[in-house]
Amino acid sequence: MRHEFSAVIERDGKWFVGWCPEIPGANGQGLTLEECRQNLAEAIQLILEDRREDALRGAPADAIHEVLQLA
């Protein structure tokens, strides 16, 4: 699994509304299914970037900071 997240998408009138169960607060919407997917992907990316920045604020200046890649 690499950079994979679940997307739950429902129809609400003329809108598609989606959320990601693994990332609380990640929601998206769109008039088309693709628009909803793209909006949700952007929300996931923004939340993860914000959480990383927030978490690193408390790291000591001399700490080793690496990025791990999961296969």
Short mmCIF file of all heavy atoms in Angstrom, two decimals:
data_model
loop_
_atom_site.label_atom_id
_atom_site.label_comp_id
_atom_site.label_asym_id
_atom_site.label_seq_id
_atom_site.Cartn_x
_atom_site.Cartn_y
_atom_site.Cartn_z
N MET A 1 0.86 -1.17 0.00
CA MET A 1 0.00 0.00 0.00
C MET A 1 0.90 1.23 0.00
O MET A 1 1.75 1.40 0.85
CB MET A 1 -0.88 -0.01 1.25
CG MET A 1 -1.70 1.22 1.38
SD MET A 1 -2.95 1.22 2.70
CE MET A 1 -2.20 0.37 4.02
N ARG A 2 0.70 2.09 -0.96
CA ARG A 2 1.51 3.31 -1.05
C ARG A 2 0.61 4.50 -1.35
O ARG A 2 -0.04 4.55 -2.39
CB ARG A 2 2.54 3.15 -2.15
CG ARG A 2 3.40 4.37 -2.23
CD ARG A 2 4.53 4.23 -3.15
NE ARG A 2 5.21 5.52 -3.07
CZ ARG A 2 6.12 5.91 -3.86
NH1 ARG A 2 6.53 5.12 -4.80
NH2 ARG A 2 6.66 7.07 -3.73
N HIS A 3 0.58 5.43 -0.44
CA HIS A 3 -0.23 6.64 -0.61
C HIS A 3 -1.67 6.30 -1.00
O HIS A 3 -2.23 6.91 -1.90
CB HIS A 3 0.38 7.55 -1.68
CG HIS A 3 1.79 7.93 -1.43
ND1 HIS A 3 2.16 8.77 -0.41
CD2 HIS A 3 2.93 7.57 -2.04
CE1 HIS A 3 3.47 8.93 -0.43
NE2 HIS A 3 3.96 8.20 -1.40
N GLU A 4 -2.22 5.34 -0.33
CA GLU A 4 -3.59 4.94 -0.62
C GLU A 4 -4.50 5.28 0.56
O GLU A 4 -4.14 5.03 1.71
CB GLU A 4 -3.68 3.44 -0.89
CG GLU A 4 -2.98 3.02 -2.15
CD GLU A 4 -3.07 1.53 -2.39
OE1 GLU A 4 -3.61 0.81 -1.52
OE2 GLU A 4 -2.60 1.09 -3.43
N PHE A 5 -5.63 5.87 0.26
CA PHE A 5 -6.61 6.22 1.27
C PHE A 5 -7.99 5.82 0.76
O PHE A 5 -8.25 5.82 -0.44
CB PHE A 5 -6.59 7.72 1.56
CG PHE A 5 -5.27 8.20 2.10
CD1 PHE A 5 -4.31 8.71 1.25
CD2 PHE A 5 -5.00 8.13 3.45
CE1 PHE A 5 -3.09 9.13 1.74
CE2 PHE A 5 -3.79 8.55 3.95
CZ PHE A 5 -2.82 9.06 3.09
N SER A 6 -8.88 5.52 1.68
CA SER A 6 -10.25 5.18 1.31
C SER A 6 -11.05 6.44 1.03
O SER A 6 -10.86 7.45 1.71
CB SER A 6 -10.93 4.41 2.45
OG SER A 6 -10.23 3.26 2.77
N ALA A 7 -11.91 6.36 0.05
CA ALA A 7 -12.83 7.46 -0.26
C ALA A 7 -14.25 6.90 -0.22
O ALA A 7 -14.54 5.93 -0.92
CB ALA A 7 -12.54 8.05 -1.62
N VAL A 8 -15.08 7.47 0.61
CA VAL A 8 -16.49 7.11 0.66
C VAL A 8 -17.25 8.26 0.02
O VAL A 8 -17.16 9.40 0.49
CB VAL A 8 -16.95 6.89 2.12
CG1 VAL A 8 -18.43 6.54 2.16
CG2 VAL A 8 -16.11 5.83 2.80
N ILE A 9 -17.95 7.97 -1.06
CA ILE A 9 -18.63 9.03 -1.82
C ILE A 9 -20.11 8.69 -1.96
O ILE A 9 -20.46 7.57 -2.33
CB ILE A 9 -17.97 9.21 -3.21
CG1 ILE A 9 -16.49 9.59 -3.04
CG2 ILE A 9 -18.72 10.26 -4.03
CD1 ILE A 9 -15.71 9.66 -4.33
N GLU A 10 -20.92 9.68 -1.68
CA GLU A 10 -22.37 9.52 -1.79
C GLU A 10 -22.94 10.62 -2.67
O GLU A 10 -22.34 11.68 -2.82
CB GLU A 10 -23.04 9.63 -0.41
CG GLU A 10 -22.63 8.55 0.56
CD GLU A 10 -23.32 8.72 1.89
OE1 GLU A 10 -23.14 9.78 2.52
OE2 GLU A 10 -24.04 7.79 2.29
N ARG A 11 -24.08 10.35 -3.20
CA ARG A 11 -24.80 11.35 -3.98
C ARG A 11 -25.74 12.10 -3.05
O ARG A 11 -26.44 11.50 -2.24
CB ARG A 11 -25.60 10.63 -5.08
CG ARG A 11 -26.24 11.51 -6.09
CD ARG A 11 -25.22 12.02 -7.06
NE ARG A 11 -25.83 12.96 -7.96
CZ ARG A 11 -25.53 13.06 -9.23
NH1 ARG A 11 -24.61 12.30 -9.75
NH2 ARG A 11 -26.11 13.94 -9.98
N ASP A 12 -25.75 13.43 -3.13
CA ASP A 12 -26.65 14.27 -2.33
C ASP A 12 -27.28 15.28 -3.27
O ASP A 12 -26.71 16.34 -3.52
CB ASP A 12 -25.88 14.95 -1.20
CG ASP A 12 -26.79 15.74 -0.26
OD1 ASP A 12 -28.03 15.59 -0.35
OD2 ASP A 12 -26.26 16.52 0.55
N GLY A 13 -28.42 14.92 -3.81
CA GLY A 13 -29.05 15.78 -4.82
C GLY A 13 -28.17 15.81 -6.06
O GLY A 13 -27.80 14.78 -6.60
N LYS A 14 -27.79 17.01 -6.49
CA LYS A 14 -26.93 17.11 -7.68
C LYS A 14 -25.44 17.07 -7.33
O LYS A 14 -24.59 17.13 -8.20
CB LYS A 14 -27.26 18.37 -8.48
CG LYS A 14 -27.01 19.66 -7.77
CD LYS A 14 -27.36 20.85 -8.65
CE LYS A 14 -27.02 22.16 -7.96
NZ LYS A 14 -27.22 23.31 -8.83
N TRP A 15 -25.11 16.96 -6.04
CA TRP A 15 -23.73 16.95 -5.58
C TRP A 15 -23.24 15.55 -5.26
O TRP A 15 -24.01 14.69 -4.84
CB TRP A 15 -23.60 17.81 -4.32
CG TRP A 15 -23.77 19.26 -4.56
CD1 TRP A 15 -24.94 19.96 -4.50
CD2 TRP A 15 -22.77 20.19 -4.92
NE1 TRP A 15 -24.72 21.28 -4.81
CE2 TRP A 15 -23.37 21.45 -5.06
CE3 TRP A 15 -21.40 20.09 -5.14
CZ2 TRP A 15 -22.68 22.59 -5.40
CZ3 TRP A 15 -20.69 21.23 -5.48
CH2 TRP A 15 -21.33 22.46 -5.61
N PHE A 16 -21.95 15.35 -5.43
CA PHE A 16 -21.26 14.18 -4.88
C PHE A 16 -20.51 14.67 -3.65
O PHE A 16 -19.83 15.69 -3.71
CB PHE A 16 -20.27 13.60 -5.89
CG PHE A 16 -20.92 12.91 -7.05
CD1 PHE A 16 -21.19 13.60 -8.22
CD2 PHE A 16 -21.28 11.57 -6.96
CE1 PHE A 16 -21.78 12.98 -9.29
CE2 PHE A 16 -21.89 10.93 -8.03
CZ PHE A 16 -22.14 11.64 -9.20
N VAL A 17 -20.65 13.96 -2.54
CA VAL A 17 -20.01 14.35 -1.28
C VAL A 17 -19.18 13.16 -0.80
O VAL A 17 -19.68 12.03 -0.75
CB VAL A 17 -21.07 14.72 -0.22
CG1 VAL A 17 -20.42 15.10 1.09
CG2 VAL A 17 -21.96 15.85 -0.73
N GLY A 18 -17.92 13.42 -0.46
CA GLY A 18 -17.06 12.33 -0.05
C GLY A 18 -16.25 12.65 1.19
O GLY A 18 -16.09 13.81 1.55
N TRP A 19 -15.77 11.61 1.84
CA TRP A 19 -14.89 11.76 3.00
C TRP A 19 -13.93 10.59 3.05
O TRP A 19 -14.12 9.58 2.39
CB TRP A 19 -15.69 11.90 4.29
CG TRP A 19 -16.42 10.67 4.72
CD1 TRP A 19 -15.97 9.71 5.57
CD2 TRP A 19 -17.72 10.25 4.32
NE1 TRP A 19 -16.91 8.73 5.74
CE2 TRP A 19 -18.01 9.04 4.97
CE3 TRP A 19 -18.69 10.78 3.48
CZ2 TRP A 19 -19.20 8.35 4.80
CZ3 TRP A 19 -19.87 10.11 3.30
CH2 TRP A 19 -20.12 8.91 3.96
N CYS A 20 -12.88 10.78 3.84
CA CYS A 20 -11.84 9.77 3.99
C CYS A 20 -11.88 9.27 5.43
O CYS A 20 -11.56 10.04 6.35
CB CYS A 20 -10.48 10.36 3.65
SG CYS A 20 -9.12 9.22 3.92
N PRO A 21 -12.23 8.01 5.67
CA PRO A 21 -12.32 7.50 7.03
C PRO A 21 -10.99 7.52 7.80
O PRO A 21 -10.98 7.68 9.02
CB PRO A 21 -12.82 6.06 6.88
CG PRO A 21 -13.28 5.93 5.48
CD PRO A 21 -12.65 7.02 4.68
N GLU A 22 -9.88 7.39 7.09
CA GLU A 22 -8.58 7.37 7.76
C GLU A 22 -8.09 8.75 8.20
O GLU A 22 -7.21 8.85 9.07
CB GLU A 22 -7.48 6.78 6.84
CG GLU A 22 -7.67 5.35 6.46
CD GLU A 22 -8.39 5.18 5.12
OE1 GLU A 22 -9.04 6.13 4.64
OE2 GLU A 22 -8.30 4.09 4.55
N ILE A 23 -8.61 9.80 7.59
CA ILE A 23 -8.15 11.16 7.87
C ILE A 23 -9.36 11.99 8.35
O ILE A 23 -10.09 12.56 7.54
CB ILE A 23 -7.54 11.83 6.61
CG1 ILE A 23 -6.52 10.94 5.93
CG2 ILE A 23 -6.96 13.20 6.97
CD1 ILE A 23 -5.24 10.73 6.70
N PRO A 24 -9.58 12.04 9.67
CA PRO A 24 -10.72 12.82 10.17
C PRO A 24 -10.65 14.27 9.68
O PRO A 24 -9.60 14.89 9.69
CB PRO A 24 -10.54 12.76 11.70
CG PRO A 24 -9.77 11.50 11.93
CD PRO A 24 -8.84 11.40 10.75
N GLY A 25 -11.78 14.75 9.21
CA GLY A 25 -11.86 16.12 8.72
C GLY A 25 -11.63 16.26 7.23
O GLY A 25 -11.84 17.33 6.66
N ALA A 26 -11.21 15.18 6.56
CA ALA A 26 -10.97 15.24 5.11
C ALA A 26 -12.29 14.98 4.38
O ALA A 26 -12.80 13.86 4.38
CB ALA A 26 -9.91 14.23 4.69
N ASN A 27 -12.82 16.03 3.81
CA ASN A 27 -14.09 15.96 3.09
C ASN A 27 -13.94 16.63 1.73
O ASN A 27 -13.12 17.53 1.56
CB ASN A 27 -15.18 16.70 3.88
CG ASN A 27 -15.34 16.17 5.27
OD1 ASN A 27 -15.74 15.04 5.46
ND2 ASN A 27 -14.99 16.98 6.25
N GLY A 28 -14.75 16.20 0.79
CA GLY A 28 -14.73 16.81 -0.53
C GLY A 28 -16.12 16.79 -1.13
O GLY A 28 -16.98 16.03 -0.70
N GLN A 29 -16.30 17.62 -2.14
CA GLN A 29 -17.58 17.64 -2.84
C GLN A 29 -17.37 18.11 -4.27
O GLN A 29 -16.34 18.70 -4.59
CB GLN A 29 -18.59 18.54 -2.14
CG GLN A 29 -18.20 20.01 -2.14
CD GLN A 29 -19.21 20.85 -1.38
OE1 GLN A 29 -20.01 20.34 -0.61
NE2 GLN A 29 -19.17 22.14 -1.60
N GLY A 30 -18.33 17.83 -5.11
CA GLY A 30 -18.26 18.29 -6.48
C GLY A 30 -19.53 17.96 -7.22
O GLY A 30 -20.31 17.09 -6.80
N LEU A 31 -19.73 18.64 -8.33
CA LEU A 31 -20.91 18.37 -9.16
C LEU A 31 -20.72 17.11 -9.99
O LEU A 31 -21.69 16.51 -10.44
CB LEU A 31 -21.21 19.57 -10.05
CG LEU A 31 -21.72 20.80 -9.31
CD1 LEU A 31 -21.84 22.00 -10.26
CD2 LEU A 31 -23.08 20.51 -8.65
N THR A 32 -19.45 16.70 -10.16
CA THR A 32 -19.15 15.45 -10.84
C THR A 32 -18.38 14.55 -9.89
O THR A 32 -17.77 15.03 -8.92
CB THR A 32 -18.30 15.66 -12.11
OG1 THR A 32 -17.01 16.14 -11.73
CG2 THR A 32 -18.97 16.65 -13.06
N LEU A 33 -18.37 13.27 -10.18
CA LEU A 33 -17.64 12.32 -9.35
C LEU A 33 -16.15 12.65 -9.36
O LEU A 33 -15.49 12.64 -8.32
CB LEU A 33 -17.89 10.90 -9.88
CG LEU A 33 -17.38 9.75 -9.05
CD1 LEU A 33 -17.86 9.81 -7.61
CD2 LEU A 33 -17.80 8.43 -9.68
N GLU A 34 -15.61 12.99 -10.52
CA GLU A 34 -14.19 13.33 -10.62
C GLU A 34 -13.85 14.60 -9.84
O GLU A 34 -12.81 14.69 -9.19
CB GLU A 34 -13.76 13.47 -12.09
CG GLU A 34 -12.27 13.68 -12.27
CD GLU A 34 -11.41 12.62 -11.58
OE1 GLU A 34 -11.79 11.44 -11.60
OE2 GLU A 34 -10.36 12.99 -11.02
N GLU A 35 -14.72 15.59 -9.89
CA GLU A 35 -14.53 16.82 -9.13
C GLU A 35 -14.50 16.53 -7.63
O GLU A 35 -13.67 17.08 -6.90
CB GLU A 35 -15.70 17.78 -9.44
CG GLU A 35 -15.36 19.22 -9.50
CD GLU A 35 -16.58 20.03 -9.95
OE1 GLU A 35 -17.60 20.06 -9.23
OE2 GLU A 35 -16.50 20.61 -11.04
N CYS A 36 -15.37 15.65 -7.18
CA CYS A 36 -15.42 15.27 -5.78
C CYS A 36 -14.13 14.55 -5.39
O CYS A 36 -13.55 14.85 -4.34
CB CYS A 36 -16.64 14.38 -5.52
SG CYS A 36 -16.81 13.86 -3.80
N ARG A 37 -13.68 13.61 -6.21
CA ARG A 37 -12.44 12.88 -5.93
C ARG A 37 -11.26 13.84 -5.82
O ARG A 37 -10.43 13.72 -4.92
CB ARG A 37 -12.17 11.86 -7.03
CG ARG A 37 -13.02 10.64 -6.98
CD ARG A 37 -12.58 9.66 -8.06
NE ARG A 37 -13.46 8.52 -8.12
CZ ARG A 37 -14.08 8.12 -9.22
NH1 ARG A 37 -13.90 8.76 -10.36
NH2 ARG A 37 -14.85 7.06 -9.19
N GLN A 38 -11.17 14.76 -6.76
CA GLN A 38 -10.06 15.71 -6.77
C GLN A 38 -10.11 16.62 -5.53
O GLN A 38 -9.10 16.86 -4.89
CB GLN A 38 -10.09 16.55 -8.05
CG GLN A 38 -8.94 17.54 -8.16
CD GLN A 38 -7.58 16.85 -8.22
OE1 GLN A 38 -7.43 15.79 -8.81
NE2 GLN A 38 -6.60 17.45 -7.59
N ASN A 39 -11.28 17.09 -5.19
CA ASN A 39 -11.45 17.95 -4.03
C ASN A 39 -11.09 17.21 -2.75
O ASN A 39 -10.41 17.75 -1.86
CB ASN A 39 -12.90 18.45 -3.98
CG ASN A 39 -13.13 19.50 -2.94
OD1 ASN A 39 -13.55 19.17 -1.84
ND2 ASN A 39 -12.87 20.75 -3.29
N LEU A 40 -11.47 15.94 -2.65
CA LEU A 40 -11.14 15.13 -1.49
C LEU A 40 -9.64 14.87 -1.42
O LEU A 40 -9.04 14.96 -0.34
CB LEU A 40 -11.92 13.81 -1.53
CG LEU A 40 -11.67 12.83 -0.39
CD1 LEU A 40 -11.93 13.47 0.97
CD2 LEU A 40 -12.53 11.59 -0.58
N ALA A 41 -9.01 14.57 -2.55
CA ALA A 41 -7.56 14.35 -2.57
C ALA A 41 -6.81 15.60 -2.11
O ALA A 41 -5.84 15.51 -1.34
CB ALA A 41 -7.11 13.95 -3.98
N GLU A 42 -7.25 16.77 -2.54
CA GLU A 42 -6.62 18.02 -2.11
C GLU A 42 -6.79 18.23 -0.61
O GLU A 42 -5.86 18.68 0.07
CB GLU A 42 -7.21 19.20 -2.90
CG GLU A 42 -6.79 19.20 -4.36
CD GLU A 42 -7.55 20.22 -5.19
OE1 GLU A 42 -8.36 21.00 -4.63
OE2 GLU A 42 -7.35 20.22 -6.42
N ALA A 43 -7.97 17.90 -0.09
CA ALA A 43 -8.21 18.04 1.35
C ALA A 43 -7.30 17.12 2.15
O ALA A 43 -6.71 17.53 3.16
CB ALA A 43 -9.68 17.74 1.67
N ILE A 44 -7.13 15.89 1.69
CA ILE A 44 -6.25 14.93 2.37
C ILE A 44 -4.82 15.47 2.37
O ILE A 44 -4.14 15.48 3.40
CB ILE A 44 -6.31 13.55 1.70
CG1 ILE A 44 -7.68 12.91 1.95
CG2 ILE A 44 -5.18 12.65 2.19
CD1 ILE A 44 -7.95 11.67 1.12
N GLN A 45 -4.36 15.95 1.23
CA GLN A 45 -3.00 16.46 1.12
C GLN A 45 -2.78 17.66 2.05
O GLN A 45 -1.78 17.73 2.76
CB GLN A 45 -2.70 16.86 -0.32
CG GLN A 45 -1.28 17.31 -0.52
CD GLN A 45 -0.96 17.53 -2.00
OE1 GLN A 45 -1.80 17.35 -2.87
NE2 GLN A 45 0.26 17.93 -2.26
N LEU A 46 -3.71 18.58 2.08
CA LEU A 46 -3.58 19.76 2.94
C LEU A 46 -3.55 19.38 4.42
O LEU A 46 -2.75 19.91 5.19
CB LEU A 46 -4.72 20.74 2.68
CG LEU A 46 -4.64 21.52 1.38
CD1 LEU A 46 -5.95 22.29 1.15
CD2 LEU A 46 -3.46 22.47 1.39
N ILE A 47 -4.41 18.46 4.83
CA ILE A 47 -4.45 18.05 6.22
C ILE A 47 -3.15 17.36 6.62
O ILE A 47 -2.58 17.65 7.68
CB ILE A 47 -5.66 17.13 6.49
CG1 ILE A 47 -6.95 17.97 6.46
CG2 ILE A 47 -5.52 16.39 7.82
CD1 ILE A 47 -8.22 17.15 6.49
N LEU A 48 -2.63 16.47 5.77
CA LEU A 48 -1.39 15.78 6.10
C LEU A 48 -0.20 16.74 6.15
O LEU A 48 0.66 16.63 7.03
CB LEU A 48 -1.12 14.66 5.10
CG LEU A 48 -2.10 13.48 5.18
CD1 LEU A 48 -1.79 12.45 4.09
CD2 LEU A 48 -2.10 12.84 6.55
N GLU A 49 -0.15 17.69 5.24
CA GLU A 49 0.92 18.70 5.27
C GLU A 49 0.85 19.52 6.55
O GLU A 49 1.87 19.79 7.19
CB GLU A 49 0.84 19.61 4.04
CG GLU A 49 1.25 18.95 2.75
CD GLU A 49 0.98 19.81 1.53
OE1 GLU A 49 0.48 20.95 1.67
OE2 GLU A 49 1.26 19.34 0.41
N ASP A 50 -0.35 19.92 6.93
CA ASP A 50 -0.53 20.72 8.14
C ASP A 50 -0.14 19.93 9.39
O ASP A 50 0.52 20.45 10.29
CB ASP A 50 -1.98 21.19 8.24
CG ASP A 50 -2.21 22.07 9.45
OD1 ASP A 50 -1.60 23.16 9.51
OD2 ASP A 50 -2.97 21.66 10.35
N ARG A 51 -0.53 18.66 9.44
CA ARG A 51 -0.19 17.83 10.60
C ARG A 51 1.31 17.62 10.70
O ARG A 51 1.87 17.61 11.79
CB ARG A 51 -0.91 16.49 10.51
CG ARG A 51 -2.38 16.63 10.79
CD ARG A 51 -3.09 15.32 10.84
NE ARG A 51 -4.51 15.55 11.04
CZ ARG A 51 -5.41 14.61 10.89
NH1 ARG A 51 -5.06 13.40 10.55
NH2 ARG A 51 -6.68 14.89 11.08
N ARG A 52 1.99 17.45 9.57
CA ARG A 52 3.44 17.28 9.59
C ARG A 52 4.10 18.55 10.13
O ARG A 52 4.97 18.48 11.00
CB ARG A 52 3.97 16.96 8.19
CG ARG A 52 5.51 16.90 8.17
CD ARG A 52 6.04 16.58 6.81
NE ARG A 52 5.90 15.14 6.61
CZ ARG A 52 6.07 14.54 5.46
NH1 ARG A 52 6.37 15.23 4.38
NH2 ARG A 52 5.95 13.24 5.34
N GLU A 53 3.71 19.70 9.60
CA GLU A 53 4.29 20.98 10.05
C GLU A 53 4.04 21.18 11.55
O GLU A 53 4.95 21.58 12.28
CB GLU A 53 3.70 22.14 9.26
CG GLU A 53 4.17 22.23 7.84
CD GLU A 53 3.46 23.31 7.04
OE1 GLU A 53 2.78 24.17 7.66
OE2 GLU A 53 3.58 23.30 5.81
N ASP A 54 2.84 20.89 11.98
CA ASP A 54 2.49 21.06 13.38
C ASP A 54 3.31 20.13 14.27
O ASP A 54 3.81 20.53 15.32
CB ASP A 54 0.99 20.82 13.58
CG ASP A 54 0.50 21.24 14.95
OD1 ASP A 54 0.91 22.31 15.41
OD2 ASP A 54 -0.30 20.49 15.54
N ALA A 55 3.46 18.89 13.86
CA ALA A 55 4.21 17.92 14.66
C ALA A 55 5.69 18.28 14.74
O ALA A 55 6.33 18.07 15.76
CB ALA A 55 4.04 16.53 14.07
N LEU A 56 6.24 18.82 13.66
CA LEU A 56 7.67 19.12 13.64
C LEU A 56 8.02 20.38 14.43
O LEU A 56 9.19 20.59 14.76
CB LEU A 56 8.16 19.25 12.20
CG LEU A 56 8.21 17.94 11.42
CD1 LEU A 56 8.60 18.21 9.97
CD2 LEU A 56 9.17 16.95 12.06
N ARG A 57 7.05 21.21 14.73
CA ARG A 57 7.32 22.42 15.51
C ARG A 57 7.93 22.10 16.87
O ARG A 57 8.73 22.85 17.39
CB ARG A 57 6.04 23.22 15.71
CG ARG A 57 5.71 24.08 14.55
CD ARG A 57 4.57 25.07 14.87
NE ARG A 57 4.00 25.45 13.61
CZ ARG A 57 2.83 25.02 13.14
NH1 ARG A 57 2.09 24.22 13.85
NH2 ARG A 57 2.39 25.41 11.97
N GLY A 58 7.57 20.97 17.44
CA GLY A 58 8.07 20.60 18.75
C GLY A 58 9.36 19.81 18.74
O GLY A 58 9.89 19.47 19.79
N ALA A 59 9.90 19.51 17.56
CA ALA A 59 11.12 18.72 17.47
C ALA A 59 12.34 19.57 17.83
O ALA A 59 12.43 20.73 17.42
CB ALA A 59 11.29 18.15 16.06
N PRO A 60 13.28 19.00 18.58
CA PRO A 60 14.50 19.75 18.90
C PRO A 60 15.27 20.10 17.63
O PRO A 60 15.23 19.36 16.64
CB PRO A 60 15.31 18.78 19.76
CG PRO A 60 14.33 17.74 20.22
CD PRO A 60 13.25 17.69 19.20
N ALA A 61 16.00 21.22 17.67
CA ALA A 61 16.73 21.69 16.50
C ALA A 61 17.79 20.69 16.05
O ALA A 61 18.08 20.58 14.85
CB ALA A 61 17.37 23.04 16.80
N ASP A 62 18.36 19.91 16.97
CA ASP A 62 19.41 18.98 16.58
C ASP A 62 18.89 17.57 16.30
O ASP A 62 19.65 16.64 16.08
CB ASP A 62 20.48 18.92 17.68
CG ASP A 62 19.93 18.44 19.01
OD1 ASP A 62 18.70 18.42 19.19
OD2 ASP A 62 20.75 18.09 19.88
N ALA A 63 17.57 17.39 16.25
CA ALA A 63 16.99 16.08 15.96
C ALA A 63 17.18 15.72 14.48
O ALA A 63 17.23 16.59 13.62
CB ALA A 63 15.51 16.08 16.30
N ILE A 64 17.31 14.44 14.22
CA ILE A 64 17.39 13.95 12.85
C ILE A 64 15.98 13.94 12.26
O ILE A 64 15.05 13.40 12.85
CB ILE A 64 18.01 12.55 12.80
CG1 ILE A 64 19.44 12.60 13.32
CG2 ILE A 64 17.96 11.98 11.40
CD1 ILE A 64 20.06 11.23 13.55
N HIS A 65 15.83 14.55 11.11
CA HIS A 65 14.52 14.59 10.44
C HIS A 65 14.65 13.89 9.09
O HIS A 65 15.43 14.32 8.23
CB HIS A 65 14.06 16.04 10.25
CG HIS A 65 12.82 16.16 9.45
ND1 HIS A 65 12.68 17.07 8.44
CD2 HIS A 65 11.66 15.49 9.50
CE1 HIS A 65 11.48 16.94 7.91
NE2 HIS A 65 10.85 15.99 8.54
N GLU A 66 13.95 12.79 8.93
CA GLU A 66 13.98 12.02 7.69
C GLU A 66 12.57 11.80 7.18
O GLU A 66 11.62 11.85 7.96
CB GLU A 66 14.63 10.64 7.93
CG GLU A 66 16.06 10.68 8.39
CD GLU A 66 16.60 9.29 8.66
OE1 GLU A 66 15.82 8.34 8.75
OE2 GLU A 66 17.83 9.17 8.81
N VAL A 67 12.46 11.52 5.90
CA VAL A 67 11.18 11.14 5.31
C VAL A 67 11.27 9.66 4.97
O VAL A 67 12.19 9.22 4.28
CB VAL A 67 10.89 11.97 4.03
CG1 VAL A 67 9.60 11.48 3.37
CG2 VAL A 67 10.78 13.44 4.38
N LEU A 68 10.33 8.87 5.49
CA LEU A 68 10.29 7.45 5.21
C LEU A 68 9.28 7.19 4.10
O LEU A 68 8.21 7.76 4.07
CB LEU A 68 9.85 6.67 6.46
CG LEU A 68 10.77 6.78 7.68
CD1 LEU A 68 10.15 6.03 8.84
CD2 LEU A 68 12.13 6.25 7.36
N GLN A 69 9.65 6.31 3.19
CA GLN A 69 8.74 5.93 2.10
C GLN A 69 8.24 4.52 2.37
O GLN A 69 9.04 3.62 2.63
CB GLN A 69 9.49 5.97 0.77
CG GLN A 69 10.02 7.33 0.44
CD GLN A 69 9.40 7.89 -0.82
OE1 GLN A 69 8.74 7.20 -1.57
NE2 GLN A 69 9.62 9.16 -1.02
N LEU A 70 6.96 4.33 2.32
CA LEU A 70 6.36 3.02 2.49
C LEU A 70 6.11 2.42 1.12
O LEU A 70 5.61 3.09 0.23
CB LEU A 70 5.05 3.12 3.26
CG LEU A 70 5.13 3.80 4.64
CD1 LEU A 70 3.75 3.88 5.26
CD2 LEU A 70 6.10 3.06 5.53
N ALA A 71 6.44 1.17 0.98
CA ALA A 71 6.25 0.49 -0.32
C ALA A 71 4.83 0.06 -0.50
O ALA A 71 4.07 -0.09 0.38
CB ALA A 71 7.17 -0.71 -0.41
#
